[in-house]
Amino acid sequence: MARSPVDVSCPLLAHEPSSSSPSSSSYSESWYLPRRYIMVLLCFLGLVLCYSYRVILSVAIIVMNEEYGWSSEVHGLVLSSFFWGYIITQMPAGFLCDKFGGKNVLGAGIALAGAFTIITPFTASSLPLLLLCRCMTGIVEGVAYPTVHWLMARWAHENERSRFVTLVWSGGYIGTVVSMYVSPLIIVRTSWPYLFYGSGALGILWGIIWFIMAASSPSEHRFIRKSEVDYLIINNVDDDHNTIVSPTASSSSRATGLHDLLLLLRSVHSWAIITNHFGSNWGFYILLTWLPTYMNNVLHFDMSKSVFLSVLPFLTMAVTSTIGGFVADRLLTWGIANNNSKESISINTYDTH
């Protein structure tokens, strides 16, 4: 159904209405920060950490190869072991969110990935243990992106959704840029295990803050104003005006959800998106995993001096994906594009994770 341009002049986009819930009554009108913005920030930082867990090994393995005398075959095994686990939890993540809530799934996933990252240096002397540790890191981190989508469906207003999702997803690119830039400097000045200790510790710290500040849905948040809850619940409907299925939905609602999933799998459009996503990920992860090794072993660049070239592709992705999300939302609010056009722009600006 075609929609008319949506008015986004809701006071919540700038200032909260004067009505507030008891839990937030101590906050003045001008100092209330919408909790959906905090959720976006926390999800963004979570994905920064997710990518730091991946990138630090891509950089550290250059030094680890020399220290442990690994062959090129072992080198490839170590780098790929993360993805052995990562692929396992992609599909079940949505079901886990429905059962346990997105807050618990994302918080546990990133914090546990941080814990496995910390113990990685202690397993490096034993190849089987190292492969197992990296595989487990991938398993617990694999829930991140599906869970972020689950959360944004509940926390993002329709006219904010593209920019929120692209801002959150840009955390992966920013995490890659920061980790690729900082990792060689840390290795040169200290030693490679500190990459894992620092990144993992930040992940656990993030987990503590997340469990205090986050919630699976607006209605479950302890520090949110009722006006913001009403604003999000009223506006979070799909194109057929069906409200989002909650974790406590009836069995008939869940049966409908399964039916919708089967329809998606039969859709040519779904498979077009999947194909696009596969190709994008193929190129992205080749760069993410092998670019530092290629710079060092093939081009013979010094590790600390090839930083700019290594981070340039990911810095570009961070900028263009964020701009694409804002453009998609703005076109919709101006009435220039419909939801299909918005989705096309969004898919092409954040189709990699």
Side-chain angles (χ1 to χ4, degrees):
M1 177 184 297
R3 296 190 180 185
S4 58
V6 183
D7 179 14
V8 293
S9 59
C10 173
L12 276 161
L13 298 178
H15 300 286
E16 287 295 302
S18 57
S19 62
S20 61
S21 64
S23 62
S24 59
S25 59
S26 60
Y27 294 98
S28 67
E29 178 79 14
S30 59
W31 286 102
Y32 180 80
L33 179 64
R35 297 313 183 237
R36 64 189 184 277
Y37 296 169
I38 296 176
M39 288 294 296
V40 169
L41 176 61
L42 289 174
C43 288
F44 168 86
L45 294 175
L47 295 190
V48 168
L49 291 165
C50 283
Y51 272 79
S52 74
Y53 301 154
R54 308 180 198 189
V55 171
I56 55 177
L57 180 62
S58 298
V59 177
I61 199 167
I62 298 171
V63 180
M64 296 168 72
N65 264 345
E66 298 174 359
E67 182 174 333
Y68 295 108
W70 291 336
S71 65
S72 58
E73 288 80 8
V74 172
H75 184 122
L77 278 175
V78 173
L79 287 177
S80 65
S81 56
F82 171 89
F83 299 100
W84 303 346
Y86 189 67
I87 197 173
I88 293 174
T89 47
Q90 294 283 305
M91 289 295 290
F95 298 101
L96 291 174
C97 288
D98 286 341
K99 185 172 181 61
F100 301 107
K103 170 187 173 179
N104 295 326
V105 174
L106 186 64
I110 296 179
L112 285 172
F116 281 116
T117 300
I118 289 175
I119 68 175
T120 297
F122 300 102
T123 65
S125 58
S126 170
L127 182 60
L129 285 179
L130 176 60
L131 296 178
L132 176 62
C133 184
R134 290 299 294 176
C135 182
M136 291 301 300
T137 306
I139 287 175
V140 295
E141 191 181 313
V143 300
Y145 274 94
T147 305
V148 163
H149 279 293
W150 191 95
L151 289 166
M152 288 299 102
R154 289 151 179 79
W155 278 97
H157 179 276
E158 180 185 34
N159 292 312
E160 299 173 316
R161 193 163 294 152
S162 287
R163 76 190 81 167
F164 277 11
V165 173
T166 51
L167 281 170
V168 171
W169 278 49
S170 69
Y173 304 135
I174 297 299
T176 301
V177 169
V178 171
S179 298
M180 279 199 173
Y181 184 84
V182 172
S183 295
L185 303 179
I186 293 177
I187 291 174
V188 169
R189 297 181 183 181
T190 57
S191 61
W192 65 265
Y194 287 97
L195 293 176
F196 296 87
Y197 302 151
S199 181
L202 287 174
I204 293 175
L205 176 62
W206 175 92
I208 295 171
I209 297 172
W210 172 262
F211 279 109
I212 295 173
M213 298 297 297
S216 293
S217 65
S219 60
E220 297 176 21
H221 202 287
R222 292 179 295 171
F223 310 114
I224 193 172
R225 287 184 173 177
K226 185 177 184 299
S227 54
E228 187 177 6
V229 174
D230 293 341
Y231 173 68
L232 292 172
I233 290 178
I234 290 171
N235 287 283
N236 276 348
V237 296
D238 62 23
D239 288 336
D240 294 323
H241 304 284
N242 298 314
T243 54
I244 294 169
V245 178
S246 70
T248 57
S250 65
S251 58
S252 61
S253 297
R254 298 194 181 282
T256 302
L258 179 59
H259 175 71
D260 291 343
L261 176 61
L262 293 176
L263 288 178
L264 281 174
L265 293 177
R266 295 172 188 164
S267 169
V268 175
H269 305 292
S270 295
W271 285 105
I273 294 172
I274 291 170
T275 303
N276 176 47
H277 197 57
F278 176 87
S280 177
N281 274 269
W282 182 277
F284 177 80
Y285 282 120
I286 290 293
L287 287 176
L288 181 73
T289 308
W290 289 99
L291 188 57
T293 298
Y294 180 79
M295 290 284 191
N296 183 79
N297 294 352
V298 179
L299 300 182
H300 305 293
F301 286 175
D302 180 80
M303 182 187 296
S304 60
K305 295 180 180 178
S306 63
V307 169
F308 176 74
L309 292 175
S310 296
V311 305
L312 190 57
F314 309 103
L315 186 60
T316 305
M317 291 178 192
V319 174
T320 55
S321 66
T322 303
I323 292 174
F326 278 91
V327 170
D329 280 336
R330 188 53 58 190
L331 290 177
L332 181 64
T333 58
W334 286 345
I336 297 174
N338 57 22
N339 278 329
N340 291 333
S341 301
K342 172 182 172 181
E343 289 158 6
S344 297
I345 295 172
S346 300
I347 288 167
N348 284 284
T349 53
Y350 54 83
D351 64 351
T352 304
H353 60 82

